[in-house]
Amino acid sequence: MNADRMRELAEAWGGDLRRWPTAEREAAQAFARIEPEAAERALFEARQLDAALDAAPRVIVSAGLRDRVIATAGTAGLKARAVWPGLRRLLWIGGAGWAAAACAGVVFGLTLTHDLEGQAQLDLVLDQASVDGLDDMAVLG
């Protein structure tokens, strides 16, 4: 951090260090300990600009003006921008992934169930066959 960088950051983020990004804020605080005059000069100028901007009247847009701007944009062929341009594609890909996972689960479940059912029937036949005193017709019937 040097005086020029401190001035650039103060112009961009204002005279209140709490508004600055964390990494830049820490560097600015370290610079202010080393060069207090240069840091205070940059922050003072930014605080003056902040005060002037805060003193400026707030512009309130009427509903009529807003409606006219929207109507003009519509006649010019402009469309509303998507909030997140890639969101629709991301949701489609995510949905396709969930569908593929669900299909794989169903196939795996059916295969596993079929194998387990066959194994259970085989175990039942073997258990019944091991019982003494029964003939084959009673076991398989």
Side-chain angles (χ1 to χ4, degrees):
M1 177 72 65
N2 58 31
D4 291 333
R5 179 72 177 148
M6 181 78 171
R7 190 172 39 259
E8 288 173 6
L9 290 170
E11 288 174 1
W13 295 100
D16 186 1
L17 290 178
R18 293 176 295 183
R19 296 181 188 164
W20 290 29
T22 305
E24 301 293 350
R25 180 182 332 131
E26 292 170 359
Q29 290 170 341
F31 179 74
R33 285 189 294 272
I34 297 168
E35 296 280 340
E37 296 86 20
E40 184 55 37
R41 191 175 325 117
L43 292 175
F44 178 74
E45 292 171 5
R47 283 188 209 116
Q48 285 182 327
L49 179 59
D50 289 345
L53 291 172
D54 288 340
R58 302 279 187 252
V59 177
I60 299 174
V61 178
S62 68
L65 176 61
R66 185 180 74 71
D67 293 341
R68 285 196 314 265
V69 168
I70 292 172
T72 304
T75 59
L78 299 175
K79 292 187 260 180
R81 252 193 276 174
V83 176
W84 294 330
L87 181 62
R88 187 172 293 170
R89 184 179 333 158
L90 181 65
L91 289 175
W92 189 88
I93 291 171
W98 278 103
C103 288
V106 168
V107 169
F108 179 74
L110 289 175
T111 303
L112 184 64
T113 303
H114 180 67
D115 290 345
L116 289 176
E117 184 180 334
Q119 185 66 36
Q121 287 178 351
L122 180 62
D123 288 342
L124 180 63
V125 168
L126 289 175
D127 285 344
Q128 289 177 352
S130 66
V131 176
D132 290 332
L134 296 176
D135 63 333
D136 290 342
M137 293 304 289
V139 171
L140 296 176

